[in-house]
Amino acid sequence: MSTQHNPSDIESVLHEDRMFSPSADFAAAAHIKSPDQRDALYKHSIDDPETFWAQVARELHWFKPWDRVLDWNAPDAKWFVGATTNLCYNCVDRQVDAGLGDQTAIIWEGEPFESASPEVRHLTYADLQRETSKFANALKSLGVKRGDIVTIYMPMVPELAIAMLACARIGAAHSIIFGGFSASAIADRVEDANSKVIITADGGWRRGNIVELKDKVDAACTQNDSIDHVIVLKRCENTINWHDEPSPDHGSKRDHWWHDLIDAASDECPCEHMDAEDLLFVLYTSGTTGKPKGIMHTTGGYMVFTYYTSKIVFDLNPNRDDIFWCTADIGWVTGHSYIIYGVLPNRVPTLMYEGAPNHPGPDRFWSIVARHNVTQFYTAPTAIRAFMKWGDEHPQKHDLSSLRILGTVGEPINPEAWMWYHRLIGAERCPIVDTWWQTETGGHMLTPIPGAVPAKPGSCTLPFFGVDAAIVNEQGEEQPPNTGGLLAIRKPWPGMLRGILGDRERFIQTYWSRIKTPAGEPYYFPGDGARCDQDGYFWIMGRVDDVINVSGHRLGTMEVESALVSHETVVEAAVVGMPHEIKGTGIAAFVTLAPGAQPSDELRDQLRAHTANEIGAIAKPDLIRFTDALPKTRSGKIMRRLLRDIAAGNDSVGDTTTLEDLSVLARLRQSEES
Ligand code: PRX
């Protein structure tokens, strides 16, 4: 089993028995106030999921109610069968219709901080209604229809939220690509989704520099001819290339300024009545093959699940002065679910920040918390480890007393980082919710409920309502406490993925084939190893497949290997995860070179740049070792376990009896390091 922890972390996790309970005042004011209340609701949600979720769904707006809550024909789930709704309506119009149009929906802060204060925008629900309507009409004017997939490659600006909500408004699905991905990554995703329209910007600000988004889109357009229209938001007054000429398949020009389109658009656009099972979005994520998969989420179930997890896990309350801030980029699922779709229907302002955590200084996040009175703060362990390293003085400079709840997501949090977060940021007062979930699950699956579930540092604690999680062996048998095994989900939940775009076989193979009941009923297999302790608390051990979690971002080792071998000097590459102080897991690449190519630091730099070009900067290997052979079994399989040990610097590499050529190991150990 691969694990993302380094050995000292495993030790501390295994012996972690500290428990942190919420204060009585906190619990009394929370939606779920006690362990007993949580347990009773959990039991109801498992014994009778249909009534449970129907009750939750009634808190939202539907144009037409459902005929049945659930149709389950493993692995296919249909939730809220026969119902129609619109997620943009629930995020925006519903508040306007209730007379709350002038309340703040989004608080946005730009990165540049040259003057005394940064650029800040407050968008009300009425602003969002007007802007999403205009932009929805602009999309329609370019021929976008219900059912199309629109690609979005934008910086973290309010127009990104407007673009995704406008798609939901007219029933077009979106495929958002994180701004750090390369032109090739965009081209692959555009082609897979058959997108005709891509929305981008002349740039975005990151650590004081402009991220050249439009250039990448231009390059992606030369790699495939599916794109008819490129919509460009002016964000940075950056000089960009402009394509006025029509693309071959349609009569109008290719590039359009965002502002020109919306100037010409009406601000009235009714929300489409969408079937609960209509596609809401596709989001690409890495798997065990070289090709990322387009995870499909549909409208009704995803809406109910993200709304309710936001409400309960972050204890959102529109009748208090809550300001919710999730620091993720909207290009990842965390941003989809917990910046926009789950938060806005709760009628709590959501904060969006454009840039880096350390620009202009390492206290930027804390200055944002203090200036905007953030009450719930949600970030990744990798960020917390970076803050620890930058020093306690940075959070200590700011008044963080508005904070009520802290959250983490994306990778296991080591107890040391948990304790730092608890002490320095939470002042030993704020419950921490360590939320385990995935792109595929849509929302939180294993998580504390802040007023009701005492936390243990490093554990994501208990399953959320309706989530039937267990630790099982390969035969699907539940494991006793404190025995490592595979994490499995045994019942459908509303936010679950509905498939992989265009690849039914891969959907079944990846998620529904590995673990089955003795009767042959499949369980959902997320790809993580875990254990449950004597209190039923879950402890995630890391991925058990060839996926690694780098700074909480998911990458397939095969994806990085394919990028490396596409370089002319590389014959073979094997990529594994290795412990990394800040990133949690770093990328180690073992590379054999073509005859004539010489190992050198220069070549290492070239290979790093090449990987960034093929995938994105997040995929750059932290360590590249040149070797004349890779350790293989007699049947030719690369022994990644050995490579993981070597990359981690472990001297004892365990069982090598299946290794074909033992001398490879010695040579690998001596291979030049970077
Ligand atoms: O390995 C788990 C890890 O991140 C994977 C999901 O990655 P992704 O789809 O990119 O979504 C990340 C944000 C939801 C999981 O399979 N992971 C996520 N949250 C945690 C975690 N590992 C341990 N603890 C967590 N809280």
Side-chain angles (χ1 to χ4, degrees):
M1 183 180 296
S2 96
T3 152
Q4 315 293 317
H5 294 288
N6 67 37
S8 65
D9 284 344
I10 289 179
E11 272 306 295
S12 55
V13 162
L14 283 176
H15 299 114
E16 184 57 66
D17 51 11
R18 287 171 288 189
M19 269 232 189
F20 295 84
S21 295
S23 70
D25 283 353
F26 182 97
H31 289 302
I32 314 286
K33 303 176 194 311
S34 67
D36 287 351
Q37 189 188 359
R38 180 261 164 207
D39 292 350
L41 274 167
Y42 181 74
K43 186 168 181 320
H44 175 198
S45 74
I46 296 296
D47 292 350
D48 187 2
E50 300 196 27
T51 352
F52 181 88
W53 287 113
Q55 216 167 318
V56 175
R58 276 188 215 105
E59 296 179 21
L60 292 160
H61 174 272
W62 302 81
F63 297 113
K64 176 176 174 284
W66 47 91
D67 305 318
R68 278 185 315 286
V69 176
L70 171 67
D71 260 2
W72 175 230
N73 184 10
D76 298 304
K78 289 197 175 107
W79 284 89
F80 308 106
V81 183
T84 60
T85 185
N86 186 292
L87 193 35
C88 181
Y89 184 87
N90 275 284
C91 287
V92 178
D93 300 59
R94 190 179 181 210
Q95 273 61 269
V96 178
D97 290 352
L100 306 169
D102 58 354
Q103 288 192 4
T104 300
I106 295 179
I107 302 170
W108 173 81
E109 180 162 319
E111 189 194 75
F113 209 144
E114 274 78 49
S115 51
S117 57
E119 189 186 353
V120 170
R121 285 167 65 186
H122 285 243
L123 286 91
T124 64
Y125 294 103
D127 293 336
L128 275 185
Q129 186 184 46
R130 188 183 60 250
E131 297 306 316
T132 56
S133 297
K134 274 174 167 268
F135 194 66
N137 284 325
L139 288 173
K140 282 186 185 172
S141 75
L142 298 181
V144 175
K145 319 177 291 305
R146 191 173 162 143
D148 290 352
I149 303 181
V150 173
T151 297
I152 302 180
Y153 184 67
M154 289 181 82
M156 281 285 287
V157 290
E159 286 77 6
L160 166 53
I162 290 165
M164 63 200 284
L165 288 164
C167 288
R169 194 167 189 91
I170 59 173
H174 51 71
S175 160
I176 305 183
I177 304 176
F178 169 60
F181 278 119
S182 67
S184 316
I186 302 170
D188 290 349
R189 287 157 171 77
V190 159
E191 193 176 318
D192 190 74
N194 193 23
S195 270
K196 305 278 179 233
V197 172
I198 179 160
I199 309 165
T200 188
D202 65 344
W205 291 106
R206 184 85 191 166
R207 237 165 248 124
N209 299 314
I210 292 178
V211 183
E212 299 284 351
L213 300 165
K214 172 68 163 57
D215 268 9
K216 299 232 177 72
V217 169
D218 288 342
C221 286
T222 64
Q223 293 172 32
N224 76 55
D225 44 34
S226 133
I227 291 293
D228 290 338
H229 297 287
V230 178
I231 303 175
V232 188
L233 177 81
K234 191 174 267 189
R235 161 71 188 131
C236 302
E237 301 292 336
N238 186 18
T239 313
I240 52 172
N241 289 319
W242 197 254
H243 294 256
D244 253 332
E245 77 287 3
S247 63
D249 293 344
H250 67 94
S252 72
K253 62 182 186 169
R254 196 197 80 178
D255 288 358
H256 311 261
W257 283 114
W258 173 293
H259 52 263
D260 288 344
L261 290 176
I262 57 162
D263 278 355
S266 148
D267 58 8
E268 278 195 28
C269 177
C271 293
E272 283 283 318
H273 292 207
M274 303 305 292
D275 187 274
E277 282 301 334
D278 276 337
L279 186 65
L280 178 70
F281 67 83
V282 174
L283 183 56
Y284 286 84
T285 190
S286 298
T288 50
T289 72
K291 189 174 170 281
K293 44 198 180 184
I295 302 300
M296 299 198 288
H297 282 288
T298 57
T299 306
Y302 174 84
M303 170 174 85
V304 169
F305 197 61
T306 54
Y307 157 76
Y308 195 55
T309 47
S310 302
K311 174 176 173 175
I312 299 303
V313 175
F314 299 122
D315 199 44
L316 297 184
N317 190 335
N319 303 318
R320 217 168 26 208
D321 292 328
D322 281 1
I323 308 280
F324 178 80
W325 182 21
C326 163
T327 70
D329 191 289
I330 288 181
W332 307 105
V333 74
T334 308
H336 281 59
S337 299
Y338 299 112
I339 297 180
I340 303 296
Y341 287 131
V343 186
L344 289 175
N346 273 288
R347 206 163 44 79
V348 162
T350 181
L351 193 142
M352 264 177 92
Y353 167 58
E354 179 184 31
N358 54 353
H359 187 85
D363 66 333
R364 180 62 184 267
F365 272 15
W366 317 124
S367 109
I368 293 177
V369 168
R371 280 182 291 108
H372 297 285
N373 293 314
V374 170
T375 45
Q376 288 92 342
F377 175 76
Y378 191 34
T379 198
T382 184
I384 298 169
R385 288 189 294 265
F387 297 137
M388 285 169 76
K389 199 169 166 176
W390 293 337
D392 296 358
E393 64 275 23
H394 303 296
Q396 278 166 345
K397 270 205 300 240
H398 296 276
D399 176 4
L400 305 181
S401 60
S402 58
L403 289 170
R404 290 185 65 243
I405 295 173
L406 305 175
T408 77
V409 58
E411 45 173 328
I413 180 163
N414 43 315
E416 295 71 16
W418 197 100
M419 288 307 299
W420 185 89
Y421 202 28
H422 174 66
R423 286 201 190 107
L424 268 289
I425 309 304
E428 301 186 6
R429 166 179 59 77
C430 302
I432 295 181
V433 291
D434 172 357
T435 60
W436 176 90
W437 59 293
Q438 308 179 294
T439 306
E440 293 86 340
T441 68
H444 302 147
M445 299 294 279
L446 303 172
T447 175
I449 289 175
V453 176
K456 297 185 191 181
S459 167
C460 51
T461 75
L462 302 177
F464 187 71
F465 300 135
V467 174
D468 181 11
I471 306 296
V472 300
N473 62 13
E474 295 280 350
Q475 287 70 48
E477 295 156 348
E478 198 161 349
Q479 296 299 287
N482 291 316
T483 310
L486 305 172
L487 178 60
I489 313 293
R490 299 184 291 196
K491 286 205 164 80
W493 67 101
M496 67 197 285
L497 79 166
R498 301 298 197 267
I500 295 175
L501 186 68
D503 206 339
R504 173 85 184 161
E505 194 42 43
R506 193 172 175 198
F507 170 60
I508 292 170
Q509 275 308 320
T510 312
Y511 305 110
W512 304 99
S513 300
R514 178 131 174 210
I515 324 172
K516 295 197 165 138
T517 61
E521 181 74 2
Y523 289 157
Y524 173 77
F525 171 59
D528 280 32
R531 77 181 162 91
C532 232
D533 70 15
Q534 60 290 349
D535 300 321
Y537 276 43
F538 286 77
W539 299 79
I540 303 293
M541 318 281 295
R543 301 287 308 192
V544 293
D545 53 10
D546 292 327
V547 167
I548 47 180
N549 236 306
V550 181
S551 303
H553 296 147
R554 191 159 143 188
L555 278 172
T557 52
M558 288 263 285
E559 217 178 328
V560 186
E561 286 163 8
S562 312
L564 285 167
V565 296
S566 72
H567 192 267
E568 60 203 11
T569 60
V570 177
V571 173
E572 199 173 23
V575 165
V576 293
M578 63 173 200
H580 188 285
E581 193 192 347
I582 302 290
K583 298 180 179 182
T585 306
I587 303 175
F590 295 82
V591 168
T592 60
L593 294 177
Q598 291 305 319
S600 67
D601 283 343
E602 206 185 333
L603 181 55
R604 258 192 203 105
D605 290 344
Q606 273 176 30
L607 292 179
R608 283 204 180 99
H610 180 72
T611 329
N613 212 22
E614 290 293 302
I615 305 174
I618 53 167
K620 277 190 197 174
D622 298 280
L623 177 130
I624 296 180
R625 286 217 196 172
F626 298 112
T627 171
D628 58 358
L630 291 168
K632 291 189 182 160
T633 61
R634 284 173 204 110
S635 58
K637 263 190 90 180
I638 295 174
M639 295 184 71
R640 291 169 185 284
R641 182 178 49 79
L642 291 186
L643 294 178
R644 274 196 289 270
D645 283 337
I646 292 170
N650 296 348
D651 276 341
S652 56
V653 289
D655 184 9
T656 54
T657 46
T658 51
L659 185 65
E660 189 208 28
D661 176 3
L662 259 178
S663 68
V664 170
L665 203 58
R667 279 180 282 149
L668 261 177
R669 285 224 185 83
Q670 287 156 13
S671 63
E672 200 192 335
E673 269 191 52
S674 88

